Amino acid sequence: MSYKFDFAFLTERWPDFVAGAWLTIQLTVLSIAFGFAVGTVCALARVYGGPLLRRVTGAYVETIRNTPLLIQIFIVYFGLSSLGLKLSAEVSAVIALTVNMGAYTTEIMRAGIQSIQRTQLEAADCLGLTRLQTILHVVLLPAMERVYPSLASQGVLLMLASSITSQISAEELTATANLVQSDTYRSFEVYIVVAIVYLALSALYRLAFWAIGLVLFERRRRLGTAL
Amino acid sequence: MIKLSATHLLYLVEAARWTILLSLLAFVGGSILGLPLAVMRVAKSRLVRVLATAYIQLIQGTPLLIVLFLSYFGLGILGYKLIPLVAAGLALTLYSAAFLGEIWRGCIEAVPKTQWEASDILGLNRFQQYAYVVLPQALRIAIPPTVGFMVQIVKNTSLASVIGFVELSRAGQIVNNSTFEPFVIFACVGAIYFVLCYPLSLAARTLEKRVHVGR
């Protein structure tokens, strides 16, 4: 084997990789935030909603969790545009990733909400909290604290899965890699570089989730223990 | 433009067989590699533990798509030209092994410590402890999450379409190229994936209830 590794393309193309990574961060931070909002609302509907609402959210979760993200992205990008709704690749990517993250978040948050005991709700009632206050302070925040590790790893998984959006030519990190490797024919080196960037991004996201956890959950900050 | 017909749908269903084959390949390969990984994760030697952890962190921290590109384009340039089926099978095997290894580590650790101690006292060696005492008990706990993970494998085989392997997703793209009705076609493709995955999801949930029947 006489293959010589050549990373020379980096000196010229590194701004492309930075731009790609930046778009990956933008796409995924938006999708995680929106997906979390969608998932939380759906989880509340799934636990406290009427039979119809529960069935609709259940169908949503099962449909998304049992089909590949690639197909979901194709349906949003190609499917909707054929029906007359033309969206840019980036917007389609955010929509598909949000819908995907929302379904997983629904399931994770449902588990958290169901772990809140009835007596907590009764106590909140006795203390005269309004319905909104109860949901916010007694149900959602403690529920989120319990399932926070799962939420965080789902966020990291979504960031990694966002590489699939390169297939609809959203110019994120993986698409950048495809572009550079077709210019330089250095596919092995390019994908190794990108793999390292993704590893760094995963570490960064884990760190960010840990920091957000500290800000959100007083117990964790003061006592260092989870609920 | 060709009109979408039953022949196209039949073509999709036939392509789904490759999805199933690829899933089986990934699951079998992932199991063969994943079990040693799980055992390595709980090994006595620190070095062995670190090695297994490093592998799992590496795979779980990079997208499957990149692993797939590395195994297809990367190895191709190094002189090992793999056909798409083998390249996809390899990438999915490496991916499944990391996740299955981590799932099964949890199951091995869930076997009570007293079982290890008792088998130690009975004079079983390390291999016998695993083969006759720990793994059979871990297996019972491992079945539901493993079945659940198979859903991920089936879904992730869709990425093989990217390197030109004609499985269900690629077949969908091919049909779409000639008929250009993406909404209907990809909805059908999604439905076929759903038919493959939903029974597995249901089975995982039912099995989970059965394992936790004592609680």
Side-chain angles (χ1 to χ4, degrees):
Chain A
M1 202 176 75
S2 59
Y3 187 78
K4 281 207 174 58
F5 283 92
D6 179 7
F7 287 94
F9 63 87
L10 271 180
T11 52
E12 207 176 308
R13 304 299 293 263
W14 68 266
D16 293 356
F17 287 103
V18 172
W22 176 233
L23 186 61
T24 291
I25 292 176
Q26 286 174 313
L27 291 179
T28 51
V29 167
L30 279 178
S31 312
I32 290 171
F34 291 156
F36 177 73
V38 171
T40 306
V41 172
C42 288
L44 283 173
R46 205 152 146 70
V47 178
Y48 298 124
L52 180 72
L53 214 51
R54 269 195 300 226
R55 204 165 262 191
V56 171
T57 47
Y60 161 58
V61 169
E62 294 300 340
T63 313
I64 297 300
R65 295 210 317 166
N66 286 296
T67 50
L69 178 59
L70 183 68
I71 300 300
Q72 292 159 15
I73 290 173
F74 282 167
I75 287 182
V76 171
Y77 187 60
F78 298 120
L80 289 187
S81 80
S82 78
L83 296 183
L85 186 62
K86 284 213 184 350
L87 301 167
S88 75
E90 285 78 13
V91 174
S92 307
V94 170
I95 292 175
L97 290 172
T98 298
V99 169
N100 191 274
M101 181 72 187
Y104 283 92
T105 309
T106 304
E107 227 17 34
I108 295 171
M109 282 301 279
R110 180 190 58 80
I113 292 171
Q114 280 177 339
S115 77
I116 303 294
Q117 276 157 7
R118 230 195 136 66
T119 48
Q120 295 278 324
L121 296 178
E122 287 163 4
D125 236 4
C126 290
L127 287 171
L129 298 189
T130 64
R131 220 176 146 72
L132 188 70
Q133 283 173 323
T134 310
I135 287 180
L136 224 57
H137 301 293
V138 183
V139 178
L140 280 186
L141 210 59
M144 192 177 157
E145 189 171 348
R146 281 204 180 128
V147 296
Y148 194 68
S150 308
L151 282 178
S153 51
Q154 194 57 47
V156 175
L157 283 177
L158 187 88
M159 187 275 290
L160 296 176
S162 76
S163 64
I164 300 175
T165 60
S166 62
Q167 293 311 305
I168 54 168
S169 63
E171 288 297 324
E172 43 67 80
L173 189 51
T174 305
T176 308
N178 292 341
L179 194 73
V180 174
Q181 76 97 13
S182 64
D183 285 348
T184 60
Y185 301 106
R186 289 286 163 194
S187 50
F188 204 42
E189 289 92 331
V190 169
Y191 291 124
I192 286 175
V193 168
V194 168
I196 293 170
V197 178
Y198 271 114
L199 272 175
L201 281 179
S202 321
L204 184 72
Y205 274 52
R206 285 206 193 107
L207 194 71
F209 275 113
W210 173 79
I212 293 169
L214 281 190
V215 173
L216 279 178
F217 310 122
E218 217 175 314
R219 194 187 333 265
R220 200 165 284 191
R221 189 166 63 233
R222 296 232 178 114
L223 303 174
T225 55
L227 187 68
Chain B
M1 204 156 70
I2 307 163
K3 260 200 103 46
L4 190 65
S5 67
T7 324
H8 291 121
L9 291 182
L10 200 67
Y11 177 65
L12 291 182
V13 173
E14 279 183 357
R17 290 184 308 188
W18 289 103
T19 292
I20 295 172
L21 178 77
L22 196 55
S23 309
L24 287 177
L25 212 64
F27 180 67
V28 172
S31 305
I32 293 171
L33 213 64
L35 186 60
L37 266 177
V39 172
M40 281 168 75
R41 282 282 275 132
V42 293
K44 280 182 186 147
S45 149
R46 198 192 153 87
L47 178 72
V48 173
R49 282 204 310 267
V50 168
L51 279 177
T53 311
Y55 173 79
I56 289 170
Q57 291 290 332
L58 191 72
I59 296 291
Q60 293 194 349
T62 44
L64 175 59
L65 196 57
I66 298 295
V67 180
L68 188 65
F69 283 147
L70 278 173
S71 87
Y72 186 60
F73 297 114
L75 290 181
I77 274 190
L78 290 183
Y80 305 96
K81 192 82 198 134
L82 301 180
I83 57 167
L85 173 65
V86 177
L90 178 66
L92 282 163
T93 294
L94 295 176
Y95 164 83
S96 314
F99 280 86
L100 285 175
E102 199 62 0
I103 292 171
W104 291 344
R105 173 192 62 91
C107 299
I108 291 175
E109 282 179 341
V111 174
K113 204 170 177 234
T114 46
Q115 296 285 330
W116 288 98
E117 292 167 351
S119 53
D120 242 353
I121 289 168
L122 288 171
L124 301 188
N125 63 31
R126 193 85 175 154
F127 175 78
Q128 289 169 324
Q129 278 183 319
Y130 269 116
Y132 302 122
V133 180
V134 176
L135 288 185
Q137 297 184 69
L139 180 71
R140 204 179 74 98
I141 317 168
I143 288 174
T146 306
V147 175
F149 182 70
M150 284 165 86
V151 176
Q152 303 293 329
I153 296 183
V154 174
K155 288 192 296 178
N156 279 324
T157 58
S158 65
L159 295 190
S161 64
V162 173
I163 56 169
F165 180 64
V166 185
E167 38 64 74
L168 184 48
S169 296
R170 183 89 198 127
Q173 286 171 299
I174 291 171
V175 173
N176 181 40
N177 286 343
S178 61
T179 59
F180 207 69
E181 286 195 55
F183 198 81
V184 182
I185 290 160
F186 290 122
C188 287
V189 170
I192 297 175
Y193 274 112
F194 188 82
V195 168
L196 292 177
C197 293
Y198 193 55
L200 288 173
S201 297
L202 280 185
R205 210 173 307 155
T206 317
L207 287 165
E208 182 136 20
K209 275 190 197 130
R210 204 169 292 172
V211 168
H212 290 163
V213 77
R215 282 191 203 163

Short mmCIF file of all heavy atoms in Angstrom, two decimals, chain A residues 151-189:
data_model
loop_
_atom_site.label_atom_id
_atom_site.label_comp_id
_atom_site.label_asym_id
_atom_site.label_seq_id
_atom_site.Cartn_x
_atom_site.Cartn_y
_atom_site.Cartn_z
N LEU A 151 -32.83 13.93 27.27
CA LEU A 151 -33.02 15.07 26.38
C LEU A 151 -31.69 15.51 25.78
O LEU A 151 -31.59 15.76 24.58
CB LEU A 151 -33.65 16.24 27.13
CG LEU A 151 -35.14 16.18 27.41
CD1 LEU A 151 -35.56 17.40 28.22
CD2 LEU A 151 -35.91 16.14 26.11
N ALA A 152 -30.67 15.58 26.65
CA ALA A 152 -29.37 16.04 26.18
C ALA A 152 -28.81 15.09 25.13
O ALA A 152 -28.32 15.53 24.09
CB ALA A 152 -28.41 16.17 27.36
N SER A 153 -28.90 13.77 25.38
CA SER A 153 -28.31 12.87 24.39
C SER A 153 -29.13 12.86 23.10
O SER A 153 -28.58 12.68 22.02
CB SER A 153 -28.11 11.47 24.94
OG SER A 153 -29.27 10.99 25.51
N GLN A 154 -30.45 13.10 23.22
CA GLN A 154 -31.25 13.22 22.01
C GLN A 154 -30.81 14.44 21.20
O GLN A 154 -30.77 14.39 19.97
CB GLN A 154 -32.74 13.30 22.36
CG GLN A 154 -33.67 13.10 21.18
CD GLN A 154 -33.44 11.76 20.50
OE1 GLN A 154 -33.33 10.74 21.17
NE2 GLN A 154 -33.33 11.77 19.19
N GLY A 155 -30.47 15.51 21.91
CA GLY A 155 -29.99 16.72 21.23
C GLY A 155 -28.70 16.45 20.47
O GLY A 155 -28.55 16.86 19.32
N VAL A 156 -27.76 15.72 21.11
CA VAL A 156 -26.50 15.39 20.44
C VAL A 156 -26.78 14.49 19.24
O VAL A 156 -26.22 14.69 18.16
CB VAL A 156 -25.53 14.71 21.43
CG1 VAL A 156 -24.27 14.26 20.70
CG2 VAL A 156 -25.16 15.65 22.56
N LEU A 157 -27.68 13.50 19.41
CA LEU A 157 -28.00 12.60 18.29
C LEU A 157 -28.59 13.39 17.13
O LEU A 157 -28.31 13.10 15.96
CB LEU A 157 -28.99 11.52 18.74
CG LEU A 157 -28.42 10.38 19.57
CD1 LEU A 157 -29.52 9.43 20.00
CD2 LEU A 157 -27.36 9.63 18.79
N LEU A 158 -29.42 14.39 17.44
CA LEU A 158 -30.02 15.19 16.37
C LEU A 158 -28.94 15.97 15.62
O LEU A 158 -28.98 16.08 14.40
CB LEU A 158 -31.07 16.15 16.92
CG LEU A 158 -31.81 16.86 15.78
CD1 LEU A 158 -32.98 16.05 15.32
CD2 LEU A 158 -32.22 18.25 16.15
N MET A 159 -27.97 16.49 16.38
CA MET A 159 -26.88 17.23 15.73
C MET A 159 -26.15 16.31 14.75
O MET A 159 -25.87 16.70 13.61
CB MET A 159 -25.93 17.77 16.80
CG MET A 159 -24.86 18.70 16.28
SD MET A 159 -23.45 17.82 15.66
CE MET A 159 -22.78 17.20 17.18
N LEU A 160 -25.88 15.08 15.18
CA LEU A 160 -25.20 14.14 14.29
C LEU A 160 -26.09 13.80 13.10
O LEU A 160 -25.63 13.73 11.96
CB LEU A 160 -24.82 12.87 15.05
CG LEU A 160 -23.80 13.06 16.17
CD1 LEU A 160 -23.58 11.75 16.91
CD2 LEU A 160 -22.48 13.57 15.63
N ALA A 161 -27.38 13.61 13.36
CA ALA A 161 -28.31 13.24 12.28
C ALA A 161 -28.47 14.36 11.28
O ALA A 161 -28.83 14.12 10.12
CB ALA A 161 -29.66 12.86 12.86
N SER A 162 -28.18 15.60 11.69
CA SER A 162 -28.35 16.73 10.77
C SER A 162 -27.44 16.57 9.56
O SER A 162 -27.63 17.24 8.54
CB SER A 162 -28.08 18.04 11.48
OG SER A 162 -26.69 18.22 11.65
N SER A 163 -26.43 15.70 9.64
CA SER A 163 -25.56 15.46 8.48
C SER A 163 -26.38 14.97 7.29
O SER A 163 -26.00 15.17 6.14
CB SER A 163 -24.50 14.42 8.83
OG SER A 163 -25.09 13.18 9.13
N ILE A 164 -27.53 14.34 7.57
CA ILE A 164 -28.37 13.81 6.49
C ILE A 164 -28.95 14.94 5.64
O ILE A 164 -29.24 14.74 4.46
CB ILE A 164 -29.50 12.93 7.10
CG1 ILE A 164 -28.87 11.77 7.87
CG2 ILE A 164 -30.42 12.40 6.03
CD1 ILE A 164 -29.86 10.92 8.59
N THR A 165 -29.05 16.15 6.21
CA THR A 165 -29.62 17.24 5.42
C THR A 165 -28.71 17.62 4.26
O THR A 165 -29.13 18.35 3.37
CB THR A 165 -29.87 18.49 6.28
OG1 THR A 165 -28.63 18.92 6.83
CG2 THR A 165 -30.86 18.22 7.38
N SER A 166 -27.48 17.11 4.26
CA SER A 166 -26.62 17.35 3.09
C SER A 166 -27.25 16.76 1.83
O SER A 166 -26.94 17.21 0.73
CB SER A 166 -25.25 16.70 3.32
OG SER A 166 -25.38 15.31 3.46
N GLN A 167 -28.15 15.80 2.00
CA GLN A 167 -28.77 15.15 0.83
C GLN A 167 -29.76 16.05 0.10
O GLN A 167 -30.15 15.76 -1.03
CB GLN A 167 -29.46 13.85 1.25
CG GLN A 167 -28.50 12.78 1.70
CD GLN A 167 -27.36 12.59 0.72
OE1 GLN A 167 -27.59 12.35 -0.46
NE2 GLN A 167 -26.12 12.75 1.18
N ILE A 168 -30.23 17.13 0.76
CA ILE A 168 -31.05 18.09 0.02
C ILE A 168 -30.23 19.35 -0.21
O ILE A 168 -30.77 20.43 -0.40
CB ILE A 168 -32.38 18.41 0.74
CG1 ILE A 168 -32.11 18.87 2.17
CG2 ILE A 168 -33.30 17.22 0.74
CD1 ILE A 168 -33.34 19.48 2.85
N SER A 169 -28.91 19.18 -0.17
CA SER A 169 -27.95 20.26 -0.44
C SER A 169 -28.13 21.48 0.45
O SER A 169 -28.02 22.60 0.00
CB SER A 169 -27.94 20.66 -1.91
OG SER A 169 -29.20 21.19 -2.28
N ALA A 170 -28.42 21.25 1.74
CA ALA A 170 -28.22 22.31 2.72
C ALA A 170 -26.72 22.34 2.96
O ALA A 170 -26.13 21.30 3.26
CB ALA A 170 -28.97 22.00 4.02
N GLU A 171 -26.09 23.50 2.80
CA GLU A 171 -24.62 23.54 2.78
C GLU A 171 -24.02 23.45 4.19
O GLU A 171 -23.25 24.33 4.57
CB GLU A 171 -24.13 24.80 2.07
CG GLU A 171 -24.35 24.78 0.57
CD GLU A 171 -23.55 23.66 -0.12
OE1 GLU A 171 -22.43 23.39 0.34
OE2 GLU A 171 -24.06 23.07 -1.08
N GLU A 172 -24.38 22.41 4.93
CA GLU A 172 -23.79 22.29 6.26
C GLU A 172 -22.49 21.48 6.17
O GLU A 172 -21.95 21.29 5.07
CB GLU A 172 -24.81 21.72 7.25
CG GLU A 172 -25.64 20.58 6.80
CD GLU A 172 -24.82 19.36 6.59
OE1 GLU A 172 -24.49 18.69 7.58
OE2 GLU A 172 -24.49 19.07 5.42
N LEU A 173 -22.03 21.01 7.33
CA LEU A 173 -20.68 20.44 7.40
C LEU A 173 -20.47 19.27 6.43
O LEU A 173 -19.46 19.22 5.72
CB LEU A 173 -20.41 20.02 8.86
CG LEU A 173 -19.00 19.60 9.21
CD1 LEU A 173 -17.98 20.61 8.77
CD2 LEU A 173 -18.90 19.39 10.71
N THR A 174 -21.42 18.33 6.40
CA THR A 174 -21.23 17.16 5.54
C THR A 174 -21.27 17.53 4.06
O THR A 174 -20.47 17.02 3.26
CB THR A 174 -22.32 16.11 5.83
OG1 THR A 174 -22.27 15.81 7.23
CG2 THR A 174 -22.09 14.85 5.05
N ALA A 175 -22.17 18.46 3.71
CA ALA A 175 -22.24 18.90 2.31
C ALA A 175 -20.94 19.59 1.92
O ALA A 175 -20.45 19.41 0.80
CB ALA A 175 -23.43 19.84 2.12
N THR A 176 -20.39 20.38 2.85
CA THR A 176 -19.09 21.02 2.60
C THR A 176 -18.03 19.96 2.33
O THR A 176 -17.24 20.09 1.39
CB THR A 176 -18.68 21.85 3.83
OG1 THR A 176 -19.74 22.73 4.17
CG2 THR A 176 -17.43 22.65 3.54
N ALA A 177 -18.05 18.91 3.15
CA ALA A 177 -17.07 17.83 2.97
C ALA A 177 -17.22 17.21 1.58
O ALA A 177 -16.23 16.99 0.87
CB ALA A 177 -17.26 16.78 4.05
N ASN A 178 -18.47 16.95 1.17
CA ASN A 178 -18.69 16.37 -0.15
C ASN A 178 -18.14 17.26 -1.24
O ASN A 178 -17.54 16.79 -2.21
CB ASN A 178 -20.20 16.13 -0.38
CG ASN A 178 -20.74 15.06 0.53
OD1 ASN A 178 -19.99 14.26 1.08
ND2 ASN A 178 -22.05 15.04 0.72
N LEU A 179 -18.36 18.57 -1.07
CA LEU A 179 -17.89 19.54 -2.06
C LEU A 179 -16.36 19.53 -2.14
O LEU A 179 -15.78 19.42 -3.22
CB LEU A 179 -18.39 20.93 -1.65
CG LEU A 179 -18.30 22.01 -2.71
CD1 LEU A 179 -19.37 21.76 -3.76
CD2 LEU A 179 -18.50 23.38 -2.08
N VAL A 180 -15.71 19.63 -0.98
CA VAL A 180 -14.25 19.71 -0.95
C VAL A 180 -13.65 18.42 -1.49
O VAL A 180 -12.68 18.46 -2.25
CB VAL A 180 -13.75 19.99 0.49
CG1 VAL A 180 -12.23 19.91 0.55
CG2 VAL A 180 -14.21 21.35 0.96
N GLN A 181 -14.25 17.28 -1.15
CA GLN A 181 -13.64 16.03 -1.62
C GLN A 181 -13.81 15.86 -3.12
O GLN A 181 -12.96 15.27 -3.79
CB GLN A 181 -14.17 14.83 -0.84
CG GLN A 181 -15.55 14.34 -1.20
CD GLN A 181 -15.52 13.18 -2.17
OE1 GLN A 181 -14.49 12.57 -2.40
NE2 GLN A 181 -16.69 12.89 -2.74
N SER A 182 -14.89 16.43 -3.69
CA SER A 182 -15.04 16.30 -5.14
C SER A 182 -14.11 17.28 -5.87
O SER A 182 -13.80 17.09 -7.03
CB SER A 182 -16.49 16.51 -5.56
OG SER A 182 -16.88 17.82 -5.27
N ASP A 183 -13.65 18.33 -5.15
CA ASP A 183 -12.67 19.24 -5.76
C ASP A 183 -11.25 18.69 -5.67
O ASP A 183 -10.44 18.89 -6.57
CB ASP A 183 -12.68 20.60 -5.03
CG ASP A 183 -13.90 21.42 -5.39
OD1 ASP A 183 -14.59 21.02 -6.36
OD2 ASP A 183 -14.17 22.42 -4.72
N THR A 184 -10.95 18.02 -4.54
CA THR A 184 -9.56 17.67 -4.27
C THR A 184 -9.27 16.19 -4.44
O THR A 184 -8.10 15.79 -4.44
CB THR A 184 -9.18 18.05 -2.83
OG1 THR A 184 -10.05 17.31 -1.94
CG2 THR A 184 -9.37 19.53 -2.56
N TYR A 185 -10.30 15.37 -4.55
CA TYR A 185 -10.15 13.90 -4.62
C TYR A 185 -9.47 13.34 -3.38
O TYR A 185 -8.91 12.26 -3.41
CB TYR A 185 -9.36 13.47 -5.86
CG TYR A 185 -10.02 13.90 -7.13
CD1 TYR A 185 -9.51 14.95 -7.88
CD2 TYR A 185 -11.17 13.26 -7.58
CE1 TYR A 185 -10.14 15.36 -9.04
CE2 TYR A 185 -11.80 13.66 -8.73
CZ TYR A 185 -11.28 14.72 -9.46
OH TYR A 185 -11.90 15.12 -10.60
N ARG A 186 -9.48 14.08 -2.28
CA ARG A 186 -8.87 13.60 -1.04
C ARG A 186 -9.97 13.14 -0.10
O ARG A 186 -10.10 13.66 1.00
CB ARG A 186 -8.05 14.73 -0.41
CG ARG A 186 -6.78 15.06 -1.17
CD ARG A 186 -5.77 13.99 -0.94
NE ARG A 186 -4.70 14.01 -1.94
CZ ARG A 186 -3.86 13.00 -2.08
NH1 ARG A 186 -3.96 11.91 -1.36
NH2 ARG A 186 -2.90 13.06 -2.98
N SER A 187 -10.79 12.16 -0.55
CA SER A 187 -11.99 11.85 0.22
C SER A 187 -11.66 11.32 1.62
O SER A 187 -12.29 11.71 2.59
CB SER A 187 -12.84 10.84 -0.54
OG SER A 187 -12.06 9.76 -0.96
N PHE A 188 -10.66 10.43 1.73
CA PHE A 188 -10.36 9.84 3.03
C PHE A 188 -9.98 10.93 4.03
O PHE A 188 -10.53 11.00 5.13
CB PHE A 188 -9.21 8.84 2.88
CG PHE A 188 -9.18 7.79 3.95
CD1 PHE A 188 -10.36 7.19 4.39
CD2 PHE A 188 -7.99 7.39 4.54
CE1 PHE A 188 -10.35 6.22 5.37
CE2 PHE A 188 -7.97 6.43 5.53
CZ PHE A 188 -9.14 5.84 5.94
N GLU A 189 -9.07 11.82 3.61
CA GLU A 189 -8.61 12.88 4.51
C GLU A 189 -9.76 13.83 4.87
O GLU A 189 -9.93 14.20 6.03
CB GLU A 189 -7.48 13.68 3.86
CG GLU A 189 -6.16 12.93 3.74
CD GLU A 189 -6.03 12.22 2.41
OE1 GLU A 189 -7.07 11.85 1.83
OE2 GLU A 189 -4.90 12.04 1.93
#
